[in-house]
Amino acid sequence: MASKNQIHVGNVPIGGGAPVAVQTMTKTETADLEATLAQIRRVAEAGADLVRCAVPREKDVEALKTIVRESPIPVIADIHFNHTLALKALDAGAHCIRINPGNIGGPEKVAEVVAKAHQLGTPIRIGVNSGSLPAHLRDLEYANPVEALVTAAVEMVELMERLEFTNFKVSMKSTSVPNTIASNRLLADRIPYPLHLGVTEAGTKWSGSLKSAVGLGTLLADGIGDTIRISLSTFQAEEEVKVAWEILKALRLRRRGPELIACPTCGRLQFDMDTVVAEVEKRLEAYEDPIQVSVLGCAVNGIGEARHADFGITGAKDMGMIYAKGEPLKKVPTGELVDELFKEIDHYYAAGKTLVRDDARAAEAAQWLAENEDATAMTPERLAALEAEAAERENGAENGVEGQKPEPAVQLDEAVSPVAGRRFTRA
Ligand code: SF4
């Protein structure tokens, strides 16, 4: 269930139908102002809506005043064990503080922090981690770790409600992807407050991104989750932001920057597509518009499934072709495909997003495509299409209406997200 309540961290709405906010955490020593602010600017440029800084010492809370003032995005202070630092972080102007009420020094100290947050109108993120559940839940944790996590979170929520404080979001983190999914599904049913999602200590850029994509992607596709943080073992916080965006873009929850589509390649490939795709992906980072660019390993299928892409390339051993909106644009030597592709993209923007087509070159490209297409080749794409057709026929027969396309159980609209209606796109 989508969260009903909405809070604001600085100017960023969280929950209540707002776009899923992307956040990350600085990896620098917070007191190192120059390094911390430089990293905040990099993550903001990469698309972070919010940034969190660890505040474990007095000197960090001192630096926080300047960081809050100079950061281009709202700053969340991350505090553990020390309620005095939490109070000081609130005074320093943090746009939100993250605390674990279970380790801040008892109910009176929690009440003191909550009273100050209430007075300043500052939201709090309360969170539980699977590794630090309260002692009275240890037996439950052993028997049912998901229920233990949810119980700990609900107890914190009830504590906040007893203090008549509702300006908060909740996180429940586990290193286990199945437990992250199960516990957040349960909690989303039980409370109306916004949820912060993350898989804690997810791992390296490779494994951590995958775990996060599976865990967070599953929840987000169900409409659960209002802000996400991808935890990766890297000092480059902007990498976390890029992964978060890829997850949101894949689910069509938000749009940002170009989308690259590329075939998986097979034995028909005749050029170094690995290098070409990597180069295209890198150069696309300089563009902000959400154009779709496709790279096909061969022209055997024609433009096929890449027909809807704004721009694309397909190559063979010596020659390749650039296409746009499903039509051939020009034929170029394979070694020049990437440069020529970006020339075309730049012409398109320079002409006010209008395709500039040279008819003679387009005809030459169409001729090359006709020579390289092979309608009889059993490519992965055609096999998939044949399998889909066969499955459709089988379903039709099972439903007793031969040849008639059965109604799918779920109508998917590719153009919108599965949780459309609840989300909207933030520019
Ligand atoms: S047949 Fe399909 S998968 Fe194989 S190289 Fe060509 S486009 Fe790529």
Side-chain angles (χ1 to χ4, degrees), residues 263-266 268-269 297-298 301 379-381:
C263 85
T265 79
C266 70
R268 293 166 188 83
L269 183 73
C298 76
N301 295 307
T379 62
E381 294 82 357

Side-chain angles (χ1 to χ4, degrees), residues 262-271 273 295-303 305 314-315 377-382:
C263 85
T265 79
C266 70
R268 293 166 188 83
L269 183 73
Q270 288 183 315
F271 69 103
M273 190 166 132
V295 180
L296 295 178
C298 76
V300 168
N301 295 307
I303 296 169
E305 288 167 9
T314 177
M378 271 301 117
T379 62
E381 294 82 357
R382 290 201 179 108

